[in-house]
Amino acid sequence: SDYGSLGHAEVVKIKIPPSSFPDFFKEYVALFNEKGYRPDQGGDVGPEYRNLVGIPGGVSSPLLQQLIEVSRENGDKLDFAKGKGDDGDARGLSFVMDTGDFPFYVAEQYHQFHDGFNWGENYPNTYNN
């Protein structure tokens, strides 16, 4: 099914200790180039590939201010907006989702364990084990 038309997006769920939020945010904003593109995205376009950050409380969370500050300190390549669930795919924009309103769901098995889809993009064996 076309999960993008349902408002779903491909995401990864990770739990980060509060003391490590700034370090994680720095890694997140480093994924984007000066024009707000993620070089690893290739041909992945559409709402299911939009840039998302899920945090408890969404745009009301004090974590958002930390994310914005880290983004500014590292080139200010991204804007942030409140995610509504039916957001489009916009470069240089990351939607902030309230994890209480938009919970994480585990993807289909084939989305979880595969090599990359680009030529030569083979993940280490530990990834699929």
Side-chain angles (χ1 to χ4, degrees), residues 8-11 28 50-54 83 87 93-97:
H8 296 264
E10 288 189 4
V11 297
Y28 178 72
R50 64 194 184 274
N51 302 311
L52 303 175
V53 176
D87 314 293
L93 180 62
S94 186
F95 293 98
V96 179
M97 311 300 288

Side-chain angles (χ1 to χ4, degrees), residues 1-76:
S1 87
D2 181 9
Y3 57 91
S5 66
L6 300 172
H8 296 264
E10 288 189 4
V11 297
V12 176
K13 181 180 182 178
I14 55 177
K15 292 184 179 183
I16 305 165
S19 63
S20 297
F21 285 146
D23 292 333
F24 171 77
F25 292 155
K26 185 174 180 179
E27 291 298 320
Y28 178 72
V29 299
L31 294 172
F32 298 86
N33 69 18
E34 66 281 347
K35 295 181 180 178
Y37 287 89
R38 275 193 17 235
D40 67 314
Q41 241 175 324
D44 292 339
V45 295
E48 58 268 35
Y49 300 109
R50 64 194 184 274
N51 302 311
L52 303 175
V53 176
I55 53 178
V59 296
S60 299
S61 172
L63 295 174
L64 177 58
Q65 283 308 310
Q66 286 184 34
L67 177 55
I68 291 170
E69 288 171 22
V70 169
S71 179
R72 288 180 180 152
E73 291 167 1
N74 291 276
D76 202 18

Side-chain angles (χ1 to χ4, degrees), residues 71-94:
S71 179
R72 288 180 180 152
E73 291 167 1
N74 291 276
D76 202 18
K77 301 174 274 188
L78 286 175
D79 289 322
F80 300 94
K82 180 179 181 177
K84 299 179 296 256
D86 60 352
D87 314 293
D89 185 14
R91 297 296 172 240
L93 180 62
S94 186

